[in-house]
Amino acid sequence: VSIRFLNGDNPEAVFVKYTDNGVLKQIHINAKSDPTASYAVDPTKEITIQSEAHYYPVCTVAPGTLKEDDDAVSTAVTWGNVPCKVSRPSPSPAPSPSPSQRPSCGYVCNSANDEPAGGQCSVIEGALGAAYPTMDYSGPCFLNLFDGLDNNFGADVSKCDEFSGLLLFDEPYTQADRYPSKLAKWGNMGHIVDQWKQFAQKNSAIIMQKRAAGMKVTAPQFSSYKGGPVQQKLTNFFATCGEACSDENSPA
């Protein structure tokens, strides 16, 4: 298959090792670089990517992962012994979709998951056949309640777009139950909504700019583990948030 290797999201240069017609080859990709060149890659052989500094493992592509319609392998993952991000070419030259045509939901997965059937991001994306906002338990477009409002919940909305989305807190009721000494307030819908509103106000300019460009914002990731059924929590979230969460001119 013909594959591009992308390193545009990372501040370090990397080495890519792949096989072409039985010959092991290596290329160098600069930091913050997405070269346009494609390379003929044997999809039955493993691809490994390491950082230029100390040869630290970045990610791998397991044999048999790449398909004929795959287009690129990216280092846009949490570095370590994890699967690389594999993507297909974007539709072209189709016009930019209207907001109503863009994905209206997101999903949870884990790039580092050892069990592909249990939520590995590349497996889910391949099954869906389209890019949806993804909560991968990390990254600038996920509000991590453990990081706190003072640290902007670890988020950087300037790095989010119509494909990443902005994904709110991961199971706040669950975390409140697991860590009552530190996170008990997250078992209260009033606190959850208040923290989102404060974040939205703090980041209002960039949120409005990104939304105008197509970025979606999801509700918190609720589960039925604690605090009632998921639908009840969603209804309560929007009822508690009120007009701020339904007014298109509001950052919340």
Side-chain angles (χ1 to χ4, degrees), residues 5-250:
F5 293 103
L6 311 180
N7 194 40
D9 291 330
N10 292 299
E12 295 184 34
V14 297
F15 290 110
V16 180
K17 295 182 179 180
Y18 66 97
T19 303
D20 177 14
N21 288 325
V23 178
L24 183 62
K25 297 185 177 182
Q26 176 174 290
I27 59 172
H28 175 272
I29 303 179
N30 291 327
K32 297 288 184 180
S33 176
D34 285 342
T36 57
S38 296
Y39 298 86
V41 173
D42 183 347
T44 67
K45 305 294 184 182
E46 182 181 61
I47 298 171
T48 60
I49 301 181
Q50 299 172 316
S51 67
E52 182 181 45
H54 311 298
Y55 289 90
Y56 183 82
V58 174
C59 60
T60 61
V61 179
T65 300
L66 295 177
K67 309 300 180 185
E68 286 293 334
D69 56 347
D70 287 331
D71 173 68
V73 169
S74 170
T75 60
V77 294
T78 302
W79 286 21
N81 189 23
V82 299
C84 301
K85 183 177 181 180
V86 176
S87 60
R88 293 174 174 80
S90 301
S92 179
S96 178
S98 68
S100 62
Q101 294 175 309
R102 296 187 178 105
S104 57
C105 61
Y107 64 90
V108 178
C109 62
N110 192 342
S111 294
N113 202 323
D114 291 331
E115 298 289 340
Q120 197 177 82
C121 297
S122 60
V123 173
I124 296 175
E125 184 173 317
L128 291 173
Y132 284 78
T134 305
M135 198 283 278
D136 193 11
Y137 298 95
S138 63
C141 302
F142 161 53
L143 270 59
N144 188 341
L145 62 86
F146 288 94
D147 286 336
L149 180 61
D150 289 344
N151 296 312
N152 217 43
F153 295 115
D156 183 352
V157 184
S158 68
K159 296 181 179 178
C160 307
D161 57 27
E162 63 191 274
F163 299 106
S164 70
L166 179 62
L167 298 106
L168 272 57
F169 318 108
D170 172 36
E171 296 193 52
Y173 284 88
T174 302
Q175 312 308 345
D177 181 70
R178 289 176 177 171
Y179 308 99
S181 63
K182 294 182 178 180
L183 302 175
K185 291 181 179 179
W186 287 94
N188 180 285
M189 188 62 75
H191 179 75
I192 296 168
V193 170
D194 176 69
Q195 293 293 286
W196 161 236
K197 283 185 174 180
Q198 288 195 57
F199 175 89
Q201 189 59 44
K202 181 180 178 182
N203 297 271
S204 59
I206 188 64
I207 288 176
M208 296 301 286
Q209 176 187 329
K210 290 291 184 174
R211 273 183 160 159
M215 181 189 77
K216 297 286 188 179
V217 179
T218 74
Q221 183 211 331
F222 292 122
S223 75
S224 57
Y225 175 75
K226 286 287 179 179
V230 172
Q231 184 60 51
Q232 176 183 315
K233 288 176 182 153
L234 284 169
T235 300
N236 192 10
F237 175 81
F238 286 103
T240 304
C241 190
E243 186 177 350
C245 285
S246 59
D247 182 358
E248 64 180 15
N249 294 313
S250 165

